[in-house]
Protein backbone atom coordinates (compact mmCIF):
# COMPACT_ATOMS: atom_id res chain seq x y z
CA UNK A 1 0.00 0.00 0.00
CA UNK A 2 1.23 3.52 -0.75
CA UNK A 3 2.60 5.63 2.10
CA UNK A 4 -0.17 8.20 1.71
CA UNK A 5 -3.50 6.37 1.44
CA UNK A 6 -5.36 7.01 -1.79
CA UNK A 7 -8.96 6.23 -2.64
CA UNK A 8 -10.25 5.19 -6.06
CA UNK A 9 -13.49 6.94 -7.01
CA UNK A 10 -15.82 5.17 -9.47
CA UNK A 11 -18.72 7.37 -10.69
CA UNK A 12 -20.73 4.39 -11.98
CA UNK A 13 -23.34 4.60 -14.74
CA UNK A 14 -22.45 7.59 -16.97
CA UNK A 15 -26.10 8.28 -17.82
CA UNK A 16 -27.07 8.41 -14.15
CA UNK A 17 -26.42 10.93 -11.41
CA UNK A 18 -23.02 9.50 -10.41
CA UNK A 19 -20.88 11.90 -12.51
CA UNK A 20 -22.75 14.93 -11.16
CA UNK A 21 -22.30 13.70 -7.60
CA UNK A 22 -18.56 13.30 -8.21
CA UNK A 23 -18.34 16.88 -9.48
CA UNK A 24 -20.07 18.11 -6.34
CA UNK A 25 -17.71 15.99 -4.23
CA UNK A 26 -14.74 17.58 -6.02
CA UNK A 27 -15.84 21.02 -4.84
CA UNK A 28 -14.64 20.12 -1.35
CA UNK A 29 -10.97 19.49 -0.51
CA UNK A 30 -10.56 15.87 0.59
CA UNK A 31 -8.44 14.57 3.48
CA UNK A 32 -6.91 11.88 1.26
CA UNK A 33 -6.28 11.88 -2.51
CA UNK A 34 -9.18 10.71 -4.69
CA UNK A 35 -8.53 9.29 -8.16
CA UNK A 36 -11.53 8.99 -10.48
CA UNK A 37 -11.66 5.88 -12.68
CA UNK A 38 -13.71 7.03 -15.66
CA UNK A 39 -13.83 8.89 -18.94
CA UNK A 40 -12.78 12.46 -18.16
CA UNK A 41 -15.36 13.86 -20.58
CA UNK A 42 -18.13 12.37 -18.44
CA UNK A 43 -17.00 14.54 -15.53
CA UNK A 44 -16.32 17.61 -17.67
CA UNK A 45 -19.81 17.41 -19.19
CA UNK A 46 -21.38 17.04 -15.75
CA UNK A 47 -19.43 20.02 -14.43
CA UNK A 48 -20.57 22.13 -17.38
CA UNK A 49 -24.21 21.20 -16.77
CA UNK A 50 -23.85 22.15 -13.10
CA UNK A 51 -21.88 25.33 -13.88
CA UNK A 52 -19.22 24.20 -11.41
CA UNK A 53 -15.45 24.41 -11.83
CA UNK A 54 -13.55 21.18 -12.41
CA UNK A 55 -9.88 20.64 -13.15
CA UNK A 56 -8.82 17.07 -13.93
CA UNK A 57 -5.30 16.35 -12.71
CA UNK A 58 -2.91 13.52 -13.43
CA UNK A 59 -3.38 10.84 -10.79
CA UNK A 60 0.28 11.16 -9.74
CA UNK A 61 0.17 14.95 -9.42
CA UNK A 62 2.09 15.59 -6.16
CA UNK A 63 0.23 18.81 -5.36
CA UNK A 64 -2.10 19.14 -2.37
CA UNK A 65 -5.80 18.39 -2.49
CA UNK A 66 -7.81 21.42 -3.50
CA UNK A 67 -11.42 22.28 -4.16
CA UNK A 68 -12.62 22.10 -7.76
CA UNK A 69 -10.01 19.53 -8.82
CA UNK A 70 -9.96 15.77 -9.15
CA UNK A 71 -7.27 13.30 -10.12
CA UNK A 72 -8.07 10.98 -13.01
CA UNK A 73 -7.18 7.53 -14.33
CA UNK A 74 -8.77 7.71 -17.76
CA UNK A 75 -10.97 4.88 -19.04
CA UNK A 76 -12.73 5.65 -22.34
CA UNK A 77 -16.43 5.14 -22.98
CA UNK A 78 -17.55 3.31 -26.08
CA UNK A 79 -19.99 6.08 -27.09
CA UNK A 80 -21.03 9.48 -25.71
CA UNK A 81 -23.60 9.26 -22.92
CA UNK A 82 -26.79 11.24 -22.47
CA UNK A 83 -28.14 11.94 -18.96
CA UNK A 84 -31.15 9.77 -18.24
CA UNK A 85 -30.71 7.46 -21.25
CA UNK A 86 -29.05 4.10 -20.73
CA UNK A 87 -26.90 2.80 -23.57
CA UNK A 88 -25.97 -0.86 -23.51
CA UNK A 89 -22.83 -0.06 -25.51
CA UNK A 90 -21.35 1.67 -22.45
CA UNK A 91 -22.03 -1.25 -20.11
CA UNK A 92 -18.54 -2.77 -20.66
CA UNK A 93 -17.08 0.63 -19.78
CA UNK A 94 -18.95 0.70 -16.46
CA UNK A 95 -17.77 -2.83 -15.72
CA UNK A 96 -14.19 -1.86 -16.60
CA UNK A 97 -14.20 1.13 -14.23
CA UNK A 98 -15.19 -1.17 -11.37
CA UNK A 99 -12.84 -4.03 -12.15
CA UNK A 100 -9.84 -1.82 -12.88
CA UNK A 101 -10.34 0.10 -9.63
CA UNK A 102 -10.78 -3.15 -7.70
CA UNK A 103 -7.67 -4.70 -9.21
CA UNK A 104 -5.64 -1.57 -8.46
CA UNK A 105 -6.75 -1.78 -4.82
CA UNK A 106 -5.82 -5.46 -4.71
CA UNK A 107 -2.36 -4.53 -5.98
CA UNK A 108 -2.02 -2.07 -3.12
CA UNK A 109 -2.18 1.06 -5.26
CA UNK A 110 -5.23 2.28 -3.33
CA UNK A 111 -6.34 1.86 0.26
CA UNK A 112 -9.97 1.74 -0.76
CA UNK A 113 -12.79 2.36 -3.23
CA UNK A 114 -15.62 4.88 -3.18
CA UNK A 115 -18.27 3.84 -5.69
CA UNK A 116 -21.24 5.58 -7.24
CA UNK A 117 -24.47 3.96 -8.44
CA UNK A 118 -24.48 1.26 -11.13
CA UNK A 119 -27.51 0.11 -13.15
CA UNK A 120 -27.71 -3.68 -12.87
CA UNK A 121 -30.16 -4.06 -15.72
CA UNK A 122 -28.07 -2.49 -18.47
CA UNK A 123 -25.00 -4.55 -17.52
CA UNK A 124 -27.00 -7.75 -17.72
CA UNK A 125 -28.61 -6.63 -20.98
CA UNK A 126 -25.07 -6.36 -22.34
CA UNK A 127 -24.38 -9.97 -21.43
CA UNK A 128 -22.33 -9.14 -18.32
CA UNK A 129 -23.40 -11.32 -15.40
CA UNK A 130 -23.80 -8.79 -12.60
CA UNK A 131 -25.81 -9.15 -9.38
CA UNK A 132 -24.19 -6.22 -7.58
CA UNK A 133 -20.89 -4.50 -6.96
CA UNK A 134 -20.56 -6.18 -3.56
CA UNK A 135 -20.64 -9.60 -5.20
CA UNK A 136 -18.32 -8.51 -8.03
CA UNK A 137 -15.67 -7.23 -5.61
CA UNK A 138 -15.88 -10.35 -3.46
CA UNK A 139 -15.41 -12.59 -6.49
CA UNK A 140 -12.52 -10.47 -7.72
CA UNK A 141 -10.79 -10.63 -4.33
CA UNK A 142 -11.63 -14.31 -3.75
CA UNK A 143 -12.98 -13.72 -0.25
CA UNK A 144 -16.18 -13.79 1.77
CA UNK A 145 -17.77 -10.42 2.45
CA UNK A 146 -20.65 -8.88 4.36
CA UNK A 147 -22.78 -5.99 3.12
CA UNK A 148 -23.45 -3.30 5.71
CA UNK A 149 -25.36 -0.06 5.32
CA UNK A 150 -24.46 2.60 7.84
CA UNK A 151 -25.33 6.11 8.87
CA UNK A 152 -23.81 8.10 11.70
CA UNK A 153 -26.39 6.58 14.06
CA UNK A 154 -27.23 3.09 12.73
CA UNK A 155 -25.39 0.16 11.15
CA UNK A 156 -27.23 -2.75 9.52
CA UNK A 157 -25.32 -5.77 8.16
CA UNK A 158 -26.86 -8.58 6.12
CA UNK A 159 -26.64 -12.37 6.30
CA UNK A 160 -27.84 -12.59 2.68
CA UNK A 161 -27.89 -9.90 0.00
CA UNK A 162 -29.44 -9.94 -3.46
CA UNK A 163 -31.48 -13.12 -3.38
CA UNK A 164 -35.12 -13.86 -4.22
CA UNK A 165 -37.06 -14.06 -0.98
CA UNK A 166 -37.95 -17.73 -1.54
CA UNK A 167 -34.20 -18.55 -1.65
CA UNK A 168 -33.32 -16.86 1.65
CA UNK A 169 -34.09 -19.67 4.16
CA UNK A 170 -31.93 -22.19 2.32
CA UNK A 171 -29.09 -19.66 2.14
CA UNK A 172 -29.01 -19.20 5.91
CA UNK A 173 -26.70 -21.89 7.24
CA UNK A 174 -24.73 -22.28 10.45
CA UNK A 175 -21.43 -22.00 8.61
CA UNK A 176 -22.53 -18.95 6.68
CA UNK A 177 -23.88 -17.15 9.73
CA UNK A 178 -20.74 -17.83 11.74
CA UNK A 179 -18.53 -16.63 8.90
CA UNK A 180 -20.53 -13.44 8.43
CA UNK A 181 -20.70 -12.62 12.13
CA UNK A 182 -16.94 -13.07 12.44
CA UNK A 183 -16.39 -10.70 9.50
CA UNK A 184 -18.78 -8.15 11.00
CA UNK A 185 -17.21 -8.39 14.46
CA UNK A 186 -13.68 -7.99 13.10
CA UNK A 187 -14.66 -5.02 10.91
CA UNK A 188 -16.39 -3.21 13.78
CA UNK A 189 -13.17 -3.51 15.74
CA UNK A 190 -10.76 -2.66 12.93
CA UNK A 191 -12.67 -0.15 10.81
CA UNK A 192 -14.82 1.52 13.46
CA UNK A 193 -12.55 1.33 16.50
CA UNK A 194 -14.98 -0.60 18.71
CA UNK A 195 -13.02 -2.73 21.19
CA UNK A 196 -16.00 -4.92 22.18
CA UNK A 197 -18.72 -4.66 19.51
CA UNK A 198 -22.33 -5.35 20.51
CA UNK A 199 -24.35 -6.97 17.73
CA UNK A 200 -28.14 -7.40 17.69
CA UNK A 201 -29.04 -10.44 15.57
CA UNK A 202 -32.51 -10.65 14.04
CA UNK A 203 -34.49 -13.82 13.62
CA UNK A 204 -35.71 -14.93 10.21
CA UNK A 205 -39.37 -15.53 11.00
CA UNK A 206 -42.09 -13.30 12.48
CA UNK A 207 -41.64 -13.00 16.24
CA UNK A 208 -38.29 -14.79 15.81
CA UNK A 209 -40.18 -18.02 15.20
CA UNK A 210 -42.50 -17.83 18.22
CA UNK A 211 -40.72 -20.72 19.96
CA UNK A 212 -40.84 -22.86 16.82
CA UNK A 213 -44.52 -22.28 16.02
CA UNK A 214 -43.69 -19.90 13.16
CA UNK A 215 -40.53 -21.57 11.93
CA UNK A 216 -37.53 -23.38 13.38
CA UNK A 217 -34.60 -21.49 11.84
CA UNK A 218 -34.05 -19.59 15.07
CA UNK A 219 -33.89 -22.83 17.07
CA UNK A 220 -32.03 -25.06 14.62
CA UNK A 221 -29.67 -22.62 12.90
CA UNK A 222 -29.38 -19.09 14.26
CA UNK A 223 -29.48 -19.78 18.01
CA UNK A 224 -26.73 -22.44 18.06
CA UNK A 225 -24.37 -20.15 16.12
CA UNK A 226 -24.96 -17.31 18.57
CA UNK A 227 -24.39 -19.61 21.55
CA UNK A 228 -21.09 -20.86 20.12
CA UNK A 229 -19.81 -17.34 19.43
CA UNK A 230 -20.94 -16.07 22.82
CA UNK A 231 -18.80 -18.81 24.36
CA UNK A 232 -15.84 -17.16 22.60
CA UNK A 233 -16.68 -13.77 24.09
CA UNK A 234 -18.81 -12.22 21.35
CA UNK A 235 -21.51 -9.82 22.59
CA UNK A 236 -24.59 -10.98 20.67
CA UNK A 237 -28.26 -10.32 21.40
CA UNK A 238 -30.87 -12.51 19.76
CA UNK A 239 -32.35 -13.98 17.76
CA UNK A 240 -34.60 -10.93 18.08
CA UNK A 241 -38.03 -10.26 16.54
CA UNK A 242 -37.37 -7.87 13.68
CA UNK A 243 -40.51 -5.82 14.29
CA UNK A 244 -39.27 -4.54 17.66
CA UNK A 245 -35.49 -4.77 17.34
CA UNK A 246 -35.24 -1.27 15.88
CA UNK A 247 -36.92 0.45 18.81
CA UNK A 248 -34.62 3.18 20.17
CA UNK A 249 -34.29 1.44 23.53
CA UNK A 250 -33.01 -1.70 21.81
CA UNK A 251 -30.72 0.11 19.39
CA UNK A 252 -29.09 1.90 22.30
CA UNK A 253 -27.70 -1.48 23.36
CA UNK A 254 -26.19 -2.36 19.96
CA UNK A 255 -23.36 -1.13 17.77
CA UNK A 256 -24.77 -2.94 14.73
CA UNK A 257 -27.84 -4.91 13.70
CA UNK A 258 -27.37 -8.16 11.77
CA UNK A 259 -30.41 -8.84 9.58
CA UNK A 260 -31.17 -12.10 7.80
CA UNK A 261 -32.13 -10.63 4.42
CA UNK A 262 -32.00 -7.44 2.39
CA UNK A 263 -35.50 -6.05 2.93
CA UNK A 264 -35.65 -7.01 6.60
CA UNK A 265 -33.19 -4.40 7.78
CA UNK A 266 -32.48 -1.91 5.02
CA UNK A 267 -35.93 -0.26 4.75
CA UNK A 268 -35.61 0.82 8.38
CA UNK A 269 -32.18 2.34 7.83
CA UNK A 270 -33.20 4.09 4.63
CA UNK A 271 -36.37 5.46 6.24
CA UNK A 272 -34.29 6.81 9.11
CA UNK A 273 -31.74 8.49 6.88
CA UNK A 274 -32.01 8.08 3.12
CA UNK A 275 -29.06 9.79 1.38
CA UNK A 276 -27.50 10.09 4.83
CA UNK A 277 -26.23 6.52 4.73
CA UNK A 278 -23.58 4.53 2.88
CA UNK A 279 -23.06 0.95 1.72
CA UNK A 280 -19.90 -0.67 3.12
CA UNK A 281 -18.43 -4.00 2.00
CA UNK A 282 -16.81 -5.72 4.98
CA UNK A 283 -14.19 -8.44 4.62
CA UNK A 284 -12.33 -7.16 1.55
CA UNK A 285 -8.56 -6.60 1.81
CA UNK A 286 -9.27 -2.91 1.22
CA UNK A 287 -11.97 -0.43 2.24
CA UNK A 288 -15.04 -0.11 0.01
CA UNK A 289 -17.80 2.43 0.63
CA UNK A 290 -20.64 3.21 -1.78
CA UNK A 291 -23.72 5.38 -2.00
CA UNK A 292 -26.95 3.95 -0.61
CA UNK A 293 -29.06 4.77 -3.70
CA UNK A 294 -29.39 3.98 -7.38
CA UNK A 295 -28.68 5.78 -10.63
CA UNK A 296 -31.79 8.02 -10.41
CA UNK A 297 -32.03 8.38 -14.19
CA UNK A 298 -35.02 10.70 -13.81
CA UNK A 299 -32.80 13.22 -11.99
CA UNK A 300 -29.72 12.90 -14.20
CA UNK A 301 -28.93 16.15 -15.96
CA UNK A 302 -31.38 18.22 -13.89
CA UNK A 303 -28.89 19.38 -11.28
CA UNK A 304 -31.28 18.34 -8.49
CA UNK A 305 -29.49 15.16 -7.36
CA UNK A 306 -28.51 15.16 -3.69
CA UNK A 307 -24.82 14.39 -3.22
CA UNK A 308 -25.10 13.75 0.53
CA UNK A 309 -24.55 9.99 0.34
CA UNK A 310 -21.44 10.25 -1.85
CA UNK A 311 -20.00 13.00 0.36
CA UNK A 312 -20.59 10.78 3.38
CA UNK A 313 -19.12 7.76 1.60
CA UNK A 314 -15.89 9.64 0.92
CA UNK A 315 -15.71 10.77 4.55
CA UNK A 316 -16.38 7.27 5.87
CA UNK A 317 -13.73 5.79 3.57
CA UNK A 318 -11.14 8.39 4.58
CA UNK A 319 -11.82 7.72 8.26
CA UNK A 320 -11.61 3.96 7.77
CA UNK A 321 -8.32 3.99 5.87
CA UNK A 322 -6.98 6.39 8.47
CA UNK A 323 -7.46 3.72 11.15
CA UNK A 324 -5.34 1.13 9.30
Amino acid sequence: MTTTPRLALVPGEPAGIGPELCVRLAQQPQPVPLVAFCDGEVLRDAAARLSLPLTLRDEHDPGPERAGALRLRAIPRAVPSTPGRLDVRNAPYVHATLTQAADAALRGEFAGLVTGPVHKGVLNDAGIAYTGTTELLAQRAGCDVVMMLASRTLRVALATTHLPLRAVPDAITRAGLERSLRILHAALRRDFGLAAPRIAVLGLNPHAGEGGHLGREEIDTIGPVLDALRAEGFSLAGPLPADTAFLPSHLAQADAVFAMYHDQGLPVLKHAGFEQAVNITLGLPYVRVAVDHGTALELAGTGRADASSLLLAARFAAEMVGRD
Side-chain angles (χ1 to χ4, degrees):
M1 186 177 294
T2 55
T3 302
T4 301
R6 298 191 303 165
L7 295 172
L9 174 65
V10 183
E13 169 56 50
I17 62 174
E20 296 172 31
L21 304 185
C22 290
V23 170
R24 293 195 184 280
L25 174 63
Q27 304 310 303
Q28 303 181 3
Q30 299 299 313
V32 298
L34 287 172
V35 177
F37 278 62
C38 67
D39 189 321
E41 289 305 308
V42 173
L43 297 177
R44 291 190 183 95
D45 291 347
R49 289 194 301 272
L50 295 171
S51 298
L52 290 173
L54 181 68
T55 300
L56 295 180
R57 306 163 63 184
D58 182 87
E59 69 167 295
H60 299 296
D61 185 336
E65 303 310 296
R66 62 178 186 267
L70 195 60
R71 289 176 168 83
L72 176 71
R73 183 174 294 190
I75 301 173
R77 290 169 296 177
V79 294
S81 49
T82 301
R85 297 182 183 177
L86 295 172
D87 193 320
V88 71
R89 292 173 293 178
N90 278 328
Y93 154 78
V94 175
H95 190 259
T97 62
L98 290 169
T99 56
Q100 289 187 33
D103 291 349
L106 288 172
R107 292 192 298 269
E109 297 176 30
F110 295 87
L113 271 57
V114 177
T115 60
V118 174
H119 195 283
K120 294 182 178 68
V122 74
L123 265 72
N124 282 284
D125 288 345
I128 300 170
Y130 177 86
T131 57
T133 302
T134 298
E135 294 83 353
L136 181 150
L137 298 179
Q139 182 182 39
R140 207 104 188 147
C143 65
D144 294 311
V145 300
V146 170
M147 177 190 287
M148 181 172 78
L149 266 73
S151 67
R152 290 299 188 189
T153 58
L154 179 61
R155 305 180 185 98
V156 179
L158 302 177
T160 62
T161 54
H162 301 118
L163 291 178
L165 191 56
R166 67 172 62 248
V168 168
D170 289 341
I172 295 174
T173 64
R174 290 191 186 188
L177 289 178
E178 178 182 345
R179 183 168 57 246
S180 294
L181 283 167
R182 289 189 185 279
I183 292 171
L184 173 59
H185 185 268
L188 290 171
R189 296 186 63 183
R190 180 187 65 248
D191 297 329
F192 293 90
L194 299 170
R198 303 166 301 167
I199 302 171
V201 181
L202 305 186
L204 173 66
N205 299 294
H207 301 176
E210 197 77 74
H213 296 289
L214 296 178
R216 292 192 55 85
E217 284 83 2
E218 290 76 12
I219 295 171
D220 297 337
T221 305
I222 303 171
V225 172
L226 302 190
D227 290 340
L229 292 176
R230 288 189 191 106
E232 295 183 21
F234 283 52
S235 178
L236 303 170
L240 301 172
D243 61 347
T244 56
F246 289 96
L247 294 176
S249 59
H250 292 170
L251 290 178
Q253 307 303 314
D255 298 306
V257 175
F258 185 66
M260 291 297 114
Y261 57 94
H262 188 279
D263 284 7
Q264 185 184 51
L266 298 192
V268 179
L269 183 138
K270 292 191 176 186
H271 173 73
F274 189 62
E275 293 180 333
Q276 296 296 325
V278 297
N279 183 339
I280 304 173
T281 305
L282 309 178
L284 292 168
Y286 53 83
V287 166
R288 184 262 175 153
V289 189
V291 295
D292 72 336
H293 57 73
T295 53
L297 296 172
E298 71 282 0
L299 291 177
T302 69
R304 300 198 311 269
D306 188 337
S308 298
S309 184
L310 185 64
L311 299 178
L312 185 61
R315 288 198 293 272
F316 259 92
E319 291 168 7
M320 291 168 71
V321 300
R323 292 192 181 98
D324 289 345

